[in-house]
Structure formats: structure tokens, C-alpha cells
């Protein structure tokens, strides 16, 4: 791995990867060769690393599709409920799954 | 209410919403939170202690963090020294730490590993959690034994990585932070964060390739 850096001192491949991944996550499918051409001296590294990173994308923890408005409290919320030991399925602000 | 500052890193839209939220605009407040919700939930999902998984919903932790944010909002606005995302992430980390202590008590310091990297309040994800993510979610009994062995070997290999490199990898890949955001979170120069990420990716690729079946086995 050669050490190609930009004027900011950032690794050139890292900068290209950030751009590539941002587009990928927006649903675009940018051309690998387009990025390899932008940094020819490290084109092989780009061809090796970028697909590997893209392949890790589906391995993230699943995120709920829609958490609903409950995660967006008012700027002036009511005081949070305190834990109630008489209701083991609910502890304060948490739903407890499978009990203690 | 104090005057609103202009923390570096917030977009012009965010700054406009900051001003409107400072005057009690609920829509502006919701719009400020919305773009950060998924990434913050990823953070909680990855760093929630394994003993609480399945019992505590990451969305509930995030809800508590946002309640804290709503209460601390006026104070933040008086002197917003960091962008909204980093402030919310810090509050979410603090909330997660409280959740660990609330439910695990003194045991929260064990497998939860509240290892602090550069003064961050968030628990470091264990190599076990990272290995589990990288191995995917195939729970078929026929592959359980092979998966357990691969997870053990991957975990050992991840443990051999530089801790800061591993954290950079988690932030960039699993939490989807940009380089400048990672640099802010870990108090690194942007150039250092950038080089560490590429180094960590090369190391991870070597690790995956060295396991039985090579990197092909990790293709989703």
C-alpha cells in the first residue's frame, strides 16, 4: 500500500472510498473503474478494497424501518416515569422482553 | 434562552433549525433529530451489552437519550461547542452507560467493557459483537458449530487489532460516520483518522482471508 495523501493529509483512497460509499448508501451504483481512474497509482488497491467494503454493508445491525414519533419527544417533555417494580414488563422508559 | 452559536460542522439548514427550535418550534426540533436517528440507533444496537440484547430495545434507549436532549437543549443552545450530531451521540452514549448500570449494576463493568477511548462515554463494542456482525445472521443448526468456531477465530483475530483502529472501523463502517466525524469523536487529526481507517480495512481483509474458507465465506 503506497501512501498517497491529499493536501489535507487524508489518505487519497480513504477520501475516494468515503465518496463511493456515500453514493452507494444513497442507492447509486457508482463505477469502480471511475474511482480507480481517479487515483491510478493505487488503482489495484481500490479494486481490492472497495468491493470488500460494499460486501460488508448488509452485515450491519438491522435498523427498524420506522421507529415512529415516540423517539421524537417534545422540547418540553413530561417528566420521565420512574421504574415501577410492580410491573416487571415495564421498567421506567424500557420495555423488558423476556423478564429479568 | 441564550443566543444560538454556530458550531462548526452543522449545515446551514441545521443552523436555521437550531434558531427556530430555540424559539420553541417543535417541527424544527423534530427535523433536527430525524437525520441522526438511524446512525444513533446503530450505535446503541452495536454497543448494547450482550446480556441485555433481546430485553432492551435500542429504540427505547434512543428515546431516553432524546428526552435527555430535550431537557438539556436550552443549555446546549447557550454555548453549542459541537455540532448537533456529536452532542446527541455523546448524550446517547451517556444514556447507554446509565442503562447498563441500571440493569447490570456492578456487572456493567465486565463484558460490557466500558473502556473509554479518548474520553468518550460510550462502551466499546466487543470483538465478539463485531465478529457476530461480520458473520451475519445465519442461525441454521446445521451450520451452528462451524459458525461458532469461525466466530471464535474471528474474535481472536479482531482482538489482535489495534483498539483505536478497530474503533475507527466500527465508526466508519457500522455507524456510518464520515472521516471528519470520526476525527471529532476520537480527538484525532483528520489525516490520522483517514490513514487508520485504510490500515484497519487492510487488516480486516487479511483477517477474513486467513480464516478457513477465506474471504469468500463472508460474502452475503
Amino acid at each position: 500500500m503506497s501512501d498517497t495523501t491529499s493536501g489535507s493529509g487524508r489518505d487519497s483512497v480513504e477520501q475516494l472510498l468515503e465518496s463511493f460509499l456515500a453514493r452507494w448508501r444513497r442507492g447509486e451504483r457508482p463505477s469502480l473503474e471511475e474511482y480507480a481512474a481517479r487515483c491510478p497509482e493505487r488503482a489495484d488497491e481500490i479494486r481490492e478494497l472497495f468491493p470488500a467494503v460494499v460486501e460488508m454493508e448488509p452485515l450491519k445491525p438491522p435498523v427498524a424501518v420506522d421507529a415512529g414519533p415516540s423517539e421524537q419527544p417534545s422540547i418540553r417533555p413530561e417528566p420521565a416515569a420512574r421504574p415501577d417494580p410492580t410491573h416487571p414488563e415495564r421498567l421506567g422508559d424500557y420495555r423488558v422482553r423476556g423478564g429479568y | 434562552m441564550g443566543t444560538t452559536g454556530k458550531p462548526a460542522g452543522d449545515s446551514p439548514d441545521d443552523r436555521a433549525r437550531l434558531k427556530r427550535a430555540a424559539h420553541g418550534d417543535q417541527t424544527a426540533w423534530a427535523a433536527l433529530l430525524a437525520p441522526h436517528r438511524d446512525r444513533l440507533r446503530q450505535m446503541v444496537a452495536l454497543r448494547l451489552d450482550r446480556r441485555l440484547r433481546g430485553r432492551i430495545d435500542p429504540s427505547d434507549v434512543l428515546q431516553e437519550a432524546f428526552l435527555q436532549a430535550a431537557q438539556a437543549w436550552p443549555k446546549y443552545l447557550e454555548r453549542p461547542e459541537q455540532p448537533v450530531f456529536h452532542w446527541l451521540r455523546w448524550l446517547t452514549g451517556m444514556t447507554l452507560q446509565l442503562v447498563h448500570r441500571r440493569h447490570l449494576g456492578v456487572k456493567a463493568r465486565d463484558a460490557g467493557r466500558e473502556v473509554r477511548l479518548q474520553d468518550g462515554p460510550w462502551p466499546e463494542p466487543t470483538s465478539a459483537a463485531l465478529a457476530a456482525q461480520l458473520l451475519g445472521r445465519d442461525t441454521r443448526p446445521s451450520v451452528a458449530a462451524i459458525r461458532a468456531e469461525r466466530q471464535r477465530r474471528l474474535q481472536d483475530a479482531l482482538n489482535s487489532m489495534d483498539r483505536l483502529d478497530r474503533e475507527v472501523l466500527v465508526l466508519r463502517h457500522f455507524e456510518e460516520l464520515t472521516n471528519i466525524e470520526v476525527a471529532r469523536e476520537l480527538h484525532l487529526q483528520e489525516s490520522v483518522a483517514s490513514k487508520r481507517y485504510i490500515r484497519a480495512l487492510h487488516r480486516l481483509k487479511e483477517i477474513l482471508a486467513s480464516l478457513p474458507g477465506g474471504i469468500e465465506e463472508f460474502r452475503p
Side-chain angles (χ1 to χ4, degrees):
Chain A
M1 173 176 63
S2 58
D3 184 19
T4 315
T5 56
S6 66
S8 66
R10 282 175 65 180
D11 185 297
S12 300
V13 170
E14 180 276 320
Q15 285 184 293
L16 290 172
L17 179 56
E18 184 169 277
S19 157
F20 182 88
L21 264 186
R23 290 175 63 188
W24 185 277
R25 286 167 179 164
R26 286 197 300 265
E28 295 179 42
R29 291 298 174 261
S31 153
L32 188 57
E33 287 309 311
E34 172 196 331
Y35 280 84
R38 289 196 207 173
C39 189
E41 63 274 35
R42 292 175 70 185
D44 288 345
E45 192 180 344
I46 289 170
R47 291 190 191 101
E48 180 190 0
L49 274 189
F50 285 22
V53 172
V54 163
E55 282 168 3
M56 287 198 295
E57 281 292 286
L59 302 178
K60 293 175 193 168
V63 172
V65 175
D66 180 16
S70 62
E71 282 179 8
Q72 296 180 3
S74 158
I75 296 173
R76 299 179 190 83
E78 294 298 315
R82 294 294 91 204
D84 181 355
T86 63
H87 293 84
E89 74 284 2
R90 182 124 200 125
L91 287 172
D93 302 318
Y94 300 94
R95 290 192 297 275
V96 178
R97 295 173 176 171
Y100 253 52
Chain B
M1 177 98 32
T3 56
T4 53
K6 290 184 179 179
D10 282 330
S11 68
D13 281 351
D14 272 351
R15 288 198 287 273
R17 289 184 190 115
L18 273 168
K19 286 181 181 172
R20 295 198 336 255
H23 291 91
D25 185 331
Q26 300 282 340
T27 307
W29 167 248
L32 268 174
L33 298 181
H36 309 303
R37 199 172 50 199
D38 283 354
R39 292 198 299 171
L40 294 172
R41 199 186 298 108
Q42 289 277 23
M43 172 204 180
V44 174
L46 197 62
R47 295 166 195 270
L48 184 66
D49 190 288
R50 69 176 194 276
R51 291 164 292 185
L52 298 177
R53 285 175 191 174
R55 292 163 54 193
I56 301 289
D57 189 328
S59 287
D60 289 342
V61 178
L62 197 54
Q63 183 188 359
E64 177 161 327
F66 282 178
L67 280 167
Q68 296 290 335
Q71 288 163 352
W73 188 240
K75 194 173 169 91
Y76 169 78
L77 285 173
E78 283 173 13
R79 209 172 162 197
E81 291 176 337
Q82 53 184 338
V84 172
F85 170 69
H86 294 279
W87 178 66
L88 289 172
R89 192 172 183 279
W90 181 81
L91 273 176
T92 305
M94 292 293 288
T95 305
L96 183 57
Q97 200 177 87
L98 286 172
V99 168
H100 283 168
R101 287 181 183 157
R102 190 183 301 160
H103 292 280
L104 298 171
V106 292
K107 293 177 185 171
R109 290 188 180 179
D110 298 341
R113 292 180 69 197
E114 289 181 14
V115 178
R116 290 174 184 233
L117 284 165
Q118 310 291 335
D119 298 328
W122 50 87
E124 182 182 11
T126 61
S127 292
L130 193 53
Q133 289 302 322
L134 289 168
L135 285 168
R137 290 178 282 280
D138 190 340
T139 55
R140 287 174 295 166
S142 59
V143 297
I146 300 168
R147 189 179 191 281
E149 173 60 12
R150 287 175 66 77
Q151 173 149 357
R152 188 188 63 75
R153 295 186 64 163
L154 180 55
Q155 217 171 295
D156 289 346
L158 288 168
N159 272 330
S160 73
M161 281 180 83
D162 178 282
R163 281 177 52 214
L164 198 51
D165 282 2
R166 196 171 59 223
E167 181 70 8
V168 169
L169 190 67
V170 167
L171 292 173
R172 289 297 295 267
H173 181 71
F174 290 101
E175 296 192 33
E176 299 189 8
L177 268 63
T178 62
N179 187 67
I180 191 170
E181 288 172 337
V182 170
R184 279 179 193 276
E185 288 292 327
L186 299 178
H187 303 288
L188 299 173
Q189 290 183 342
E190 284 183 56
S191 58
V192 173
S194 169
K195 286 168 187 156
R196 277 186 175 272
Y197 179 46
I198 292 299
R199 188 171 78 184
L201 280 177
H202 279 287
R203 181 77 187 109
L204 178 64
K205 203 159 183 298
E206 283 171 18
I207 288 171
L208 297 183
S210 71
L211 294 177
I215 201 165
E216 294 297 323
E217 287 292 316
F218 291 88
R219 298 196 194 285

